[in-house]
Amino acid sequence: KQVKDDLCSRRLDSNLFTYGLYRFILGVNKKILIANSVAPLANMAFIYNVHSLSTMDAWIGAIAYMIQIYFDFSAYSDMAIGLAAMAGFKFSENFMAPYSSCSIKEFWRRWHISLSSWLRDYVYIPLGGSRVPTHRIYLNLIVVFFLGLEYQEYNRMKTYSEDSSRMAQFLHSFSIDRSVPSEQLAVNS
């Protein structure tokens, strides 16, 4: 809907292009300098047997994973908004400080604004939304929930497979347990 409106009234604007370039560069830097830097720490906690991890390693892995997914998603949102602005489109924000949320509902609304809107407009409402009997409302919510999870899992696995060979090389060179052969660290790359 937003893109359709912009297609009709779009015009190239140097200020919008400059803003887009800034957002794109910001996103690339978030991805490369932050998300990719903490990814090996996050992945280390998930590769080893949970019983062989110390409490400190588990906490470092969990915090690194939180940082990684936050900056991955924030970076991709910045890059998309930036590229759109350089092409003359004005995309709305898709990510608004989700870790500052006070509830799970608020967290989801802040984490993936466009996915939530799309699922609401193109899945939940066409299924009848909340204007159907109670059992159908719950069914509609379950369908939307699992479609959202599937989308998130697809993107997570795509990112994981792209980073797995680099992560395996990194872990092998800095591994705490040097007895683990590199073949075990390379996860289906």
Side-chain angles (χ1 to χ4, degrees):
K1 191 175 184 179
Q2 179 183 1
V3 174
K4 182 180 176 184
D5 294 341
D6 279 349
L7 276 173
C8 298
S9 63
R10 180 175 71 113
R11 58 190 172 95
L12 295 179
D13 177 1
S14 63
N15 289 332
L16 187 59
F17 183 86
T18 304
Y19 170 74
L21 185 61
Y22 163 76
R23 286 294 293 266
F24 183 77
I25 291 170
L26 178 66
V28 168
N29 281 297
K30 283 180 183 179
K31 173 66 177 151
I32 293 171
L33 298 176
I34 301 171
N36 286 0
S37 296
V38 299
L41 288 173
N43 291 330
M44 180 181 68
F46 297 106
I47 285 178
Y48 291 106
N49 184 335
V50 76
H51 300 293
S52 66
L53 278 178
S54 70
T55 303
M56 181 62 80
D57 288 340
W59 272 108
I60 290 171
I63 292 168
Y65 186 65
M66 286 176 48
I67 292 168
Q68 178 193 5
I69 61 173
Y70 178 90
F71 281 101
D72 260 343
F73 195 80
S74 178
Y76 292 139
S77 294
D78 286 339
M79 288 187 278
I81 290 169
L83 286 173
M86 287 189 286
F89 295 98
K90 296 175 188 166
F91 282 6
S92 58
E93 290 298 322
N94 192 33
F95 197 72
M96 291 186 179
Y99 287 155
S100 65
S101 302
C102 295
S103 69
I104 292 173
K105 185 177 181 180
E106 183 184 5
F107 177 83
W108 179 256
R109 284 186 179 156
R110 289 170 171 250
W111 184 271
H112 206 321
I113 297 165
S114 64
L115 177 63
S116 299
S117 300
W118 189 89
L119 287 170
R120 181 195 64 223
D121 295 345
Y122 295 101
V123 179
Y124 183 69
I125 291 173
L127 286 173
S130 60
R131 297 175 188 244
V132 293
T134 305
H135 72 280
R136 280 292 311 270
I137 292 172
Y138 290 120
L139 178 64
N140 295 346
L141 289 171
I142 289 169
V143 167
V144 169
F145 175 75
F146 281 109
L147 282 173
L149 280 179
E150 182 60 31
Y151 174 81
Q152 294 290 346
E153 180 64 13
Y154 169 78
N155 284 326
R156 186 185 71 78
M157 292 307 293
K158 187 173 89 173
T159 301
Y160 180 75
S161 66
E162 291 169 356
D163 293 339
S164 66
S165 64
R166 286 182 299 211
M167 179 267 309
Q169 292 168 356
F170 178 85
L171 285 176
H172 184 65
S173 63
F174 294 101
S175 176
I176 296 169
D177 182 5
R178 296 252 182 221
S179 65
V180 177
S182 60
E183 296 83 33
Q184 289 180 354
L185 293 175
V187 181
N188 297 332
S189 46

